[in-house]
Structures are given as structure tokens and as C-alpha cells.
Amino acid sequence: MWTASQVLRRFSTSPHHYQNKLKLAIIGQSLFGQEVYSNLRKQGHRVVGVFTVPDKDGKADPLAVAAEKDGTPVFKFPRWRVKGKPIPEVVEAYKAVGAELNVMPFCSQFIPMNIINNPKHGSIIYHPSILPLHRGASAINWTLIHGDKKAGFTVFWADDGLDTGPILLQRECAVQPNDTVDTLYNRFLFPEGINAMVESVQLIADGKAPQIPQAEEGASYEGIQKKSNAKVDLAQPAEAIHNWIRGHDKVPGAWTVIDGQSVTLYGSSMLGGKAPDGQTLEIEGASRPGLVTKKGLVLHGTDGKALLVKSLQFEDGKMIPASKYFSSGEGASVELTDNEKRVAEEIRNIWKGILSNVPTINDNTDFFKSGAASMDVVRLVEEVKQKCAGMQLQNEDVYMYTTFQDFIQMFVRKLRGDDQKEELVIDYATKEVNSMTVKMPYQCFINGKFEDAESGKTYDTINPTDGSVICKVSYASVGDVDRAVAAAKEAYEIGPWGKMNPRDRGSLLYKLADLMEEHQEELATIESIDSGAVYTLALKTHVGMSIQTFRYFAGWCDKVQGKTIPINQARPNRNLTFTKKEPLGVCAIVIPWNYPLMMLAWKSAACLAAGNTLVLKPAQVTPLTALKFAELSVNAGIPKGVINILPGSGGMVGQRLSDHPDIRKLGFTGSTPIGKQIMKSCALSNLKKVSLELGGKSPLIIFSDCDMDKAVRMGMSSVYFNKGENCIAAGRLFVEESIHDEFISRVVEEIKKMKIGDPLDRSTDHGPQNHRAHLDKLLEYCDVGVKEGATLVYGGRQVDRPGFFMEPTVFTDVEDHMFIAKEESFGPVMVVSKFKDGDVDGVLQRANDTEYGLASGVFTRDINKAMYVSEQLEAGTVFVNTYNKTDVASPFGGFKQSGFGKDLGEDALMEYLKTKAVTVEY
């Protein structure tokens, strides 16, 4: 024991590891407290004790969970004092840890001054305002309520006043027009607050921490905001109303009185321009009646300006879109009229006639649990339709609303016409291009609606043909991800998608494919101006294969089957074991920019066919066809929440999808380094399933006994197809020595015939690279090739015209050690190496000498040689005497650092299913 203590002491006082480090007591709670604790430990400070709140409902606070996992002493005191006096045993337990500094990142308990002042360096506290402004527990609320243009936080030295101690450090940020408590906290106060607490501790350790007295000028204190004092005063200017509502969103919630009951208002934003048409709604205390519109509830201020409220919550806890106030849908119960009650009793008698074994039909009677079968469904539907001529009732309605109460609610909504599908409101970006008018959604698509990003931020998406701005696109935030995941989870767990018959699900996917085909010219045009794809290729491949993919997987919906398995674990063997294939739940999909719509289809079609819901992030530079697809999905009847599309950055949206605990699978196509980061995040978050289609350096071997015409044509296609922005592009060609020079000569001859230009011109062969940064990277790639000694036979330069055009390029004399021999260009760069005549095994060794293994190819008339080479090549796809020939029924995916998991074919469906084994003894 003594020896161990000495070792620990020597380590703890080591000047290398613990120089200018402190022994800390962390007093606080919540995820914020946990993050501060973890980051301080990473910086080498020693946490000698964590003081947090007792477990709630058997669940420890996040700070306690992290500390207990690390073996840090944890104390869970329900209180620190009684009747204003410190509790002696609590004080004694605290002092025993020997802290040099108290760090209080989020503390909801009153800490006595003999604890505050006990450590050598005292105590520091985090407060979410720019002190001395907004002292008190509701500082963030009041920052927004007062309409402050700046928000921020303060790390200060604790004293015996209320947030009055000397200031150590402050940080500021701008308040966005539609910020709420949540967005402000998540965007700035939380992440930067953690960094500031760690920085403050280090300043104290280094003896550099200031103590700046707070000025009383500008000081303010506002009381705690509770539900009881959060009623909004509607007799004031619109911006003041907006600030009050957003200052209470989500907690405690600003409320008003409508039709005699308290209604809480969420999702406020200032309304620019003329208010949309709507139905008037009297609201207590308002200067003018509100308007229930398709976009939400419009409230008018006394200054003639207006604001828009998106969601309403009633006293019973039910929340509805404000646009649905006069509709009985969205979970609000229908109050039946006398005539509707009479009809309901007639329907009750129909149920009695069918469910003759049930003594009484009450509200909770379940049609199927009471013994009804499929023929009873038909009978119920037909009898009800006979009673109510003109009623549009489907068998599916019975399966969706199985209890008598739910069935009656559904029936009355249909009777009133309240079940009519809500009109999709889209603010299009419109362009006259390619002899047509293209209408492009540009907002986030969440829960069946297009809406601005929570932050209000946008970015420009660029036409690579001339560098012009196509439109501004919403820039999704972490909050948008969370809302989209919540919508997808609800759609999966309680919405119609999760309950839907697989064959009906397939019908919807077929309809979606049909709509994509109806709009194929518009989709191809959008794809062309957003990604630079040649229009004819976009029409055939980008869009055409997307349509085929949805049709293929639509056919799989009702063909997912398990197995029966004989087992022999006991005698007598009266056991039945069978397996079921079940959907995973909410899935995330992150797609690249080279085939924006096709990569969406390859992953989302299989995902949806398996019965999952999804949140998809298109590439930041090519979001437009994904958003158009979202519009078509609504028109196809895909229920809200099933598909969600979030344009924005991979670093923000993609990372949050990787980290989100409610996502059960992430499918990604992109670079290997990002794939590795995603895989790590998915493992650390909740061990979500992952499939990765990553980088490639696909070899193409051309033997002297090939069909030369075909080898030249297909060899060029293997490199220049889709401007070389092709994951399976032949990254390196190995050409047998005896035909090498002829092959190169013929390739260059054909390149000179290629037409480079406007991708919408039907005669164009080669369009612009996807975006400026990629073009610059390709030019740098070629410079490296030349510097390393490869021979630049053709191209290697930017085309002298507006836009991001690059010449098709050919390198020869490429040696195995060179950068361009090992790294993917992802552009129109043909990298050619010779191999000696007849050296099959030698060229195979060189072809496989890569960490990638996505695709490969071989050209030879010798079928024995072709089969041997295809067996030896280490790649997920091998093309023989062809290239780029993918099909929706053939599995696609790589080996090694090109990833794992499959797109397309039955294998892809299995990526989005889980296997459950059931064993029954009888």
C-alpha cells in the first residue's frame, strides 16, 4: 500500500505531466458539467471530487455517470445546508477531498460560503450572460426577451452576492433574428462555454487569471421565468411579442388564451411582407384577430407588423402545427355533433354484428384483438360505405385505426373533409433554362414540409458551367438535424409508415419512381446545372438509373423473408426456430456530389423498401436534386417524416448524424478519411450500423490480345465518364508493352475529337468539374505528376473559358512509387503504366498493391486469362471486356479501405434490415 502511494505521489507531482495543474472539485450537474469535467481531465488537471445531485428515478446525472466511470469520487448531496446553515457532515466530506479550486459549470444548488471560500483559489462559476447584465437564473431567456443584439457568457469568481463576483473571462456572440434559448445555447453558449471554463482553470493554474470587479452601471436582475408568469402581452409591437415567445421557447413556453384555454406558442419568426390569406382567430388581449394560414398562426402587433408562430400546445399536452388549428387532425380529439354521434352508434352496431363474441363494444375495443380477420375488414368497410353513401373508406383505414374510438375519430374527419392532404407550400427558386422552366425547392425538408434552417442561414450553390449563383440554399444546423431525426423516429414508431403493409409500401415507391420519370427532364436539367453533368448522361444515368433503382427496390418490399431452422438442443425435439427480417428504424444517409440523385437513390430506395425512415444529407455543393426529390416524395404519398433532407456542411450535419443516439444505421459514400471519422463517431455514439463506399484507385489491365477498338473506347470511358468524377473510375491503367504506344496514340487522337463545353448542349462530350476547389485540386495533382517525372502526354490544364473546365489528361511512364500511381484523382486524368509482355502475375501484383479495392477491369480475348485475373484482383467489382456497367440488381461495394457493405441488389436490402431469431417450444 505504501509503495503504491509513493508511486502515485511521484507521478502526481511530476513537473512534466502536472506542471501548472490543479486539484479540482467539480460542483454541478448536466451534460455541460460532464463536458467541463472530461475536458479538464484531458488537460491534465486532477479532479479530486465531483459533487452533483442525487439520482432521479434511478438514473444518475450525466456528470455523475462520467465521473463514476473514471473512478473519480462522486458525492450526491440533496442539499448543502438546512435552515440556512451548512450541514456539518457535507462540509466535512467536501473538505476531505483537498481541492485547490471549485469549478461550478452548472450548479442548481445553493453552496455555502465556507465551501465557496475553502479552496486555495476559491471558486469560479459559469453564467450565461454578459455580466453585470441579466443576473439570475433566467439569463438566456431575458437576453432574448429584451431583444439584445449580443449574447454571451461570463466566468466569474464566486462571492456572497447573486452573480456579482469579479469577472475572470467573457465571450460574446451575435443574436440571430430567430434564435431561441435552445439554438443560442447549442450554437454558442454550450460549446464555447466548455472551452472557456477549461481556459479559465488553466489561467488560474498559471497565475494569470484576472479579477475584474463588476460595474453596477448597466447591471440588471430579472426573476426566474416560470409558466405562471410567461403569459404573452399581445398589446405591444410585433417584435416585442416575437422576443417574448422565443425567449420562452422551449422552456417554460409563452402562452396566451384562445377559446377559453391556455395555448402555448412555439417557433416564432418575424413575418416580412404581406401576411398570407387565412382564417381569423380571436385571441384574448390581441390588438387584432390572428390568422391561421398554411404557414402557421399570424399574430399582429400594435405597430402594424406581424409575426408567425409555427406550433401550438394545448393544456392536455397535445401539440399541433399552428396551421392545423381549425383542423381536427394531428392528434387533437374530434368533438362529435349530435348527428355524428348518431352515425357513430350505427357504426358501433356494425362492429357488434361482426364481433359477435364481444359482449360490449367500448371505445378501447380493438377490432383485430377481438378476433376479426381480413374478410371482416372488407365487410366493415362495405357496411359503413353502404350506410354513408359517398364515404371514401379503404381497407387500410381499418388496419391503421384498430380501436373503435380511433376508427370513429378517423371516420368523422373523413366525413368533415379534415383528412384532406395538406397542400405542400414551396418557395421555389425558378430558372428558365434548357428550354424549360425548372422549379427548385431550396429549403430544408423536415417532417413533410419545406422550411428555413433554424438559424436562418443560407449559402450559394454554384453553376460550374459559368460560376454563377443558381440560388441560395438553407444551411442546416444541429437543431435541424435533431428535429428531422425526431420526425423520422415518430414516423417510424407511431406513423403510418411503420404500420403499413409492405405491398402498399412498395406501391408508394413505384408511384415515386413514376413521378421521377414524369419529371426526368427537369431533374436532369437541375442535375446538369448543379453538378456539371452532361445533360444526356444525366438523363440516362444520373436520373434514369435512379428511377430503375426505386422500381427495383419497390418490388422487394413484399419479398423480404426469414427462414425456419431445425434445431436439436433437447429431446424430445419439439422446438420451432424461425427468423424474421425487421427494419432498423431511423437511418442516416450521407451522399457525395458526383452523382447527387443516383447516390440518393442507391441508398434511400433500399432503406425505404426495408421499412425504415431516413434523414439524408446531400453534398453541400449539389443539394438541388435531393430537394426536388423530396417534393416528388410528398406528391407520391410518402407519409410525413419518412424522408427528411438537410442541405449543409458535413462537419456539422454529417457529424451530428454520426453522433445522434436515435439513428440506428448510417450509409455513407465519400472519401476514406471521412469514412474513418464517421465509423469512429458511430461506434462511440451508440454502435450504430455503418456501410461505407469510400475511395478507390481501380486498376484496369489491358492485354495485347484485347479487342483494341473496344479497349480504347472503354478505356477512355473508364477514366473520362462523368468528367472522371466517378467512384469506380480506372485510377490506373496497366497496358501491355507491345501495344502501349498504339493505345496511347489512339486515346490522344480520340480526346482531340471530344467536345468540351456547355453540358446542356446535346453534342457536348465533356462538361465542367463539379466545383472550383475540386478543379484546383486536379490541377495540383497534375503538377505533382509532372514534378515526379511522369510524362504529360496531353492536357493537365484548365480550359480557357468561364467555368470549371479541365482538359482530359493523359500521363504515361508512371512508376509504382509516384503519387499519381497511388492516389485517386477523381477527375479526367488517365494514369498509364507499362507492363512486360506475358507478365500476368507481375501486373496483378502491381494492380493489387493498393489499400483500395473498389473496382477493377481486364481486357483480353483469352477467357482463361480473364477468369484467372478476375479471381486474383482484390476488388468488389471486376469488369471483363467492359467498364462502368453497373445494374440495379448487381451488388456494388468495395474491399479494404474502399469500405464495406453493399449498394444495389438484394445485398443492399440486407444492409437496412436486422435478423431476429425466435424459438418456440411446443
Side-chain angles (χ1 to χ4, degrees):
M1 190 72 178
W2 179 87
T3 306
S5 299
Q6 292 301 308
V7 171
L8 178 61
R9 186 174 298 126
R10 285 200 303 272
F11 176 72
S12 300
T13 55
S14 162
H16 174 71
H17 187 77
Y18 277 113
Q19 186 177 17
N20 296 332
K21 302 299 176 184
L22 298 175
K23 292 189 291 183
L24 308 174
I26 308 292
I27 306 175
Q29 64 195 82
S30 80
L31 186 61
F32 186 81
Q34 176 195 332
E35 289 292 329
V36 170
Y37 160 81
S38 299
N39 280 276
L40 285 170
R41 290 185 79 247
K42 287 178 185 176
Q43 292 298 316
H45 297 286
R46 182 181 171 196
V47 179
V48 293
V50 163
F51 299 84
T52 185
V53 293
D55 296 355
K56 185 176 181 181
D57 299 326
K59 186 176 181 181
D61 183 82
L63 172 58
V65 171
E68 288 169 346
K69 183 179 178 182
D70 295 332
T72 301
V74 176
F75 304 84
K76 302 176 182 179
F77 299 138
R79 63 189 62 84
W80 291 70
R81 62 179 191 166
V82 174
K83 295 181 180 181
K85 295 184 178 180
I87 302 172
E89 54 267 33
V90 171
V91 174
E92 183 180 350
Y94 163 79
K95 289 183 175 179
V97 302
E100 298 172 324
L101 173 70
N102 291 333
V103 179
M104 302 167 70
F106 185 95
C107 182
S108 61
Q109 296 173 312
F110 189 94
I111 311 300
M113 288 308 299
N114 61 339
I115 300 294
I116 295 289
N117 294 328
N118 183 74
K120 172 184 175 182
H121 297 291
S123 303
I124 60 169
I125 305 177
Y126 169 90
H127 185 74
S129 80
I130 308 170
L131 290 175
L133 197 62
H134 306 311
R135 293 168 176 165
S138 294
I140 313 177
N141 303 76
W142 288 105
T143 297
L144 297 172
I145 291 167
H146 284 301
D148 295 354
K149 301 303 179 186
K150 288 184 179 180
F153 57 80
T154 304
V155 180
F156 69 98
W157 300 89
D159 66 359
D160 57 358
L162 182 65
D163 306 330
T164 57
I167 293 169
L168 192 161
L169 181 151
Q170 287 185 328
R171 295 281 187 271
E172 296 180 354
C173 73
V175 177
Q176 302 297 331
N178 295 319
D179 264 331
T180 64
V181 173
D182 280 354
T183 63
L184 197 54
Y185 183 70
N186 293 333
R187 186 181 80 248
F188 182 78
L189 300 178
F190 180 86
E192 293 304 319
I194 293 163
N195 295 336
M197 288 298 281
V198 175
E199 181 182 344
S200 297
V201 171
Q202 193 58 54
L203 286 170
I204 295 169
D206 294 338
K208 299 178 180 178
Q211 296 195 26
I212 304 168
Q214 289 192 40
E216 284 306 307
E217 183 180 354
S220 67
Y221 169 80
E222 298 94 354
I224 294 175
Q225 284 308 96
K226 300 179 180 179
K227 196 73 174 183
S228 58
N229 58 15
K231 184 178 180 182
V232 60
D233 177 9
L234 296 172
Q236 55 181 331
E239 188 171 356
I241 299 172
H242 165 61
N243 287 338
W244 184 269
I245 295 172
R246 69 187 181 125
H248 293 81
D249 188 342
K250 298 287 186 186
V251 176
W255 56 277
T256 187
V257 177
I258 304 175
D259 286 340
Q261 70 167 316
S262 299
V263 178
T264 306
L265 312 172
Y266 295 108
S268 173
S269 59
M270 291 299 294
L271 189 65
K274 182 183 175 183
D277 295 333
Q279 190 172 350
T280 59
L281 177 65
E282 293 296 331
I283 304 175
E284 184 180 287
S287 59
R288 289 171 54 186
L291 277 178
V292 177
T293 74
K294 291 178 180 178
K295 290 190 174 184
L297 173 62
V298 176
L299 300 177
H300 300 278
T302 55
D303 57 351
K305 296 181 181 179
L307 60 140
L308 187 72
V309 173
K310 287 190 175 181
S311 302
L312 304 176
Q313 187 174 33
F314 297 100
E315 291 175 350
D316 61 2
K318 290 178 180 175
M319 183 177 284
I320 65 168
S323 60
K324 288 283 190 178
Y325 183 82
F326 289 113
S327 168
S328 301
E330 301 297 327
S333 297
V334 177
E335 189 68 33
L336 274 59
T337 64
D338 289 341
N339 185 55
E340 288 166 345
K341 288 178 182 177
R342 181 186 57 78
V343 176
E345 286 307 309
E346 292 180 2
I347 295 175
R348 192 188 300 271
N349 289 330
I350 294 173
W351 278 54
K352 284 181 181 178
I354 296 172
L355 305 175
S356 57
N357 58 310
V358 179
T360 305
I361 305 296
N362 57 43
D363 286 351
N364 295 321
T365 300
D366 188 287
F367 194 68
F368 296 102
K369 290 179 181 178
S370 301
S374 57
M375 279 305 300
D376 298 313
V377 173
V378 177
R379 176 180 166 183
L380 174 59
V381 169
E382 294 305 315
E383 284 199 53
V384 172
K385 286 165 69 175
Q386 193 174 40
K387 286 280 184 186
C388 305
M391 168 61 71
Q392 297 297 312
L393 199 63
Q394 307 292 329
N395 292 355
E396 188 64 29
D397 293 325
V398 185
Y399 290 109
M400 294 295 297
Y401 303 95
T402 61
T403 67
F404 181 74
Q405 182 182 39
D406 288 345
F407 184 86
I408 291 299
Q409 292 281 308
M410 173 275 298
F411 172 83
V412 172
R413 290 188 187 113
K414 283 182 175 287
L415 202 62
R416 296 178 180 182
D418 288 348
D419 69 319
Q420 296 301 309
K421 187 172 72 173
E422 182 182 355
E423 181 183 350
L424 183 63
V425 179
I426 308 176
D427 293 330
Y428 291 110
T430 305
K431 279 195 176 294
E432 299 293 330
V433 62
N434 200 24
S435 302
M436 67 180 75
T437 302
V438 294
K439 299 166 71 176
M440 299 169 286
Y442 58 84
Q443 296 166 294
C444 300
F445 183 71
I446 301 173
N447 205 23
K449 295 180 181 179
F450 286 101
E451 54 188 57
D452 291 337
E454 191 175 68
S455 64
K457 289 184 179 179
T458 61
Y459 69 95
D460 295 336
T461 187
I462 305 297
N463 185 340
T465 301
D466 56 11
S468 63
V469 175
I470 302 171
C471 64
K472 290 187 177 294
V473 178
S474 290
Y475 189 81
S477 67
V478 169
D480 296 311
V481 177
D482 291 345
R483 288 189 301 115
V485 173
K489 186 178 181 182
E490 182 177 353
Y492 176 74
E493 292 180 349
I494 63 176
W497 190 252
K499 304 172 187 175
M500 191 176 292
N501 182 294
R503 196 163 295 170
D504 293 333
R505 188 164 64 239
S507 296
L508 290 179
L509 295 183
Y510 275 123
K511 187 173 181 181
L512 178 55
D514 291 343
L515 282 171
M516 291 171 70
E517 187 167 49
E518 287 178 27
H519 290 263
Q520 61 183 331
E521 288 85 2
E522 185 178 18
L523 286 167
T525 301
I526 296 171
E527 192 91 330
S528 189
I529 64 173
D530 203 24
S531 77
V534 171
Y535 176 75
T536 50
L537 177 65
L539 197 60
K540 178 185 181 296
T541 301
H542 289 235
V543 178
M545 193 173 189
S546 300
I547 296 166
Q548 292 175 26
T549 303
F550 271 97
R551 287 200 173 121
Y552 173 81
F553 283 107
W556 265 111
C557 287
D558 61 353
K559 299 173 184 65
V560 176
Q561 300 175 0
K563 300 175 182 178
T564 57
I565 303 172
I567 63 172
N568 192 30
Q569 67 188 44
R571 303 283 186 181
N573 187 17
R574 295 192 178 278
N575 295 282
L576 169 65
T577 294
F578 61 91
T579 61
K580 298 173 65 179
K581 296 288 186 180
E582 297 180 347
L584 299 169
V586 181
C587 297
I589 292 173
V590 180
I591 57 174
W593 44 256
N594 57 327
Y595 293 102
L597 186 63
M598 194 173 80
M599 292 296 99
L600 175 153
W602 279 24
K603 285 180 164 53
S604 62
C607 174
L608 295 170
N612 303 286
T613 57
L614 66 89
V615 180
L616 182 141
K617 193 200 87 66
Q620 184 171 341
V621 291
T622 53
L624 296 180
T625 44
L627 294 170
K628 188 68 179 179
F629 167 82
E631 176 191 350
L632 298 179
S633 75
V634 175
N635 296 338
I638 305 291
K640 69 174 187 176
V642 173
I643 295 171
N644 303 272
I645 310 286
L646 297 176
S649 78
M652 184 183 297
V653 176
Q655 186 63 50
R656 179 56 180 158
L657 290 172
S658 301
D659 293 337
H660 204 291
D662 289 334
I663 290 174
R664 295 300 169 192
K665 159 73 193 279
L666 192 146
F668 171 75
T669 296
S671 71
T672 297
I674 299 299
K676 290 178 178 179
Q677 181 180 332
I678 284 175
M679 189 173 177
K680 180 179 179 181
S681 297
C682 288
L684 291 174
S685 58
N686 63 342
L687 276 178
K688 57 177 65 71
K689 190 176 182 181
V690 183
S691 58
L692 303 171
E693 195 253 280
L694 307 176
K697 188 65 176 174
S698 301
L700 173 58
I701 303 172
I702 301 176
F703 289 100
S704 58
D705 59 356
C706 67
D707 178 333
M708 181 62 84
D709 290 337
K710 192 173 186 180
V712 169
R713 186 174 68 255
M714 290 288 184
M716 291 182 66
S717 176
S718 76
V719 177
Y720 303 130
F721 188 82
N722 199 47
K723 311 158 294 173
E725 295 167 353
N726 187 22
C727 53
I728 57 172
R732 191 177 181 194
L733 276 65
F734 294 93
V735 182
E736 202 159 8
E737 196 169 33
S738 58
I739 61 167
H740 174 273
D741 292 350
E742 180 189 356
F743 178 84
I744 297 299
S745 174
R746 291 183 60 173
V747 164
V748 171
E749 184 181 335
E750 292 301 316
I751 289 175
K752 291 177 180 177
K753 299 175 186 177
M754 291 171 64
K755 179 178 179 180
I756 303 172
D758 183 357
L760 294 175
D761 185 334
R762 305 309 192 260
S763 63
T764 294
D765 298 300
H766 189 78
Q769 305 307 136
N770 189 277
H771 51 281
R772 164 62 68 184
H774 183 53
L775 173 62
D776 292 342
K777 178 185 171 185
L778 288 172
L779 295 173
E780 183 181 352
Y781 184 92
C782 292
D783 287 344
V784 171
V786 171
K787 288 174 183 176
E788 284 192 323
T791 301
L792 178 61
V793 175
Y794 192 89
R797 297 171 300 179
Q798 181 176 354
V799 178
D800 186 17
R801 59 169 293 159
F804 312 142
F805 292 84
M806 181 173 179
E807 295 176 337
T809 299
V810 180
F811 276 102
T812 60
D813 302 318
V814 178
E815 298 178 16
D816 294 352
H817 65 85
M818 292 180 177
F819 176 81
I820 63 172
K822 294 180 176 296
E823 296 300 323
E824 181 179 28
S825 71
F826 212 66
V829 182
M830 183 179 285
V831 175
V832 185
S833 299
K834 292 180 186 177
F835 68 95
K836 292 181 179 179
D837 290 345
D839 187 13
V840 177
D841 289 327
V843 74
L844 276 170
Q845 184 176 355
R846 295 172 70 190
N848 287 329
D849 186 20
T850 172
E851 273 299 299
Y852 299 111
L854 188 56
S856 58
V858 55
F859 278 83
T860 176
R861 286 192 173 97
D862 185 338
I863 187 63
N864 292 323
K865 186 191 297 181
M867 294 306 295
Y868 175 74
V869 170
S870 68
E871 288 173 2
Q872 297 300 312
L873 284 169
E874 298 169 357
T877 298
V878 181
F879 297 109
V880 178
N881 293 328
T882 187
Y883 210 90
N884 286 324
K885 187 167 282 188
T886 54
D887 186 87
V888 294
S890 177
F892 179 92
F895 299 162
K896 299 189 285 189
Q897 291 197 45
S898 288
F900 52 84
K902 297 293 182 182
D903 291 324
L904 304 179
E906 183 180 0
D907 292 51
L909 198 66
M910 296 305 111
E911 296 290 337
Y912 293 92
L913 292 165
K914 59 190 177 190
T915 302
K916 177 184 287 182
V918 180
T919 297
V920 182
E921 185 173 316
Y922 58 94

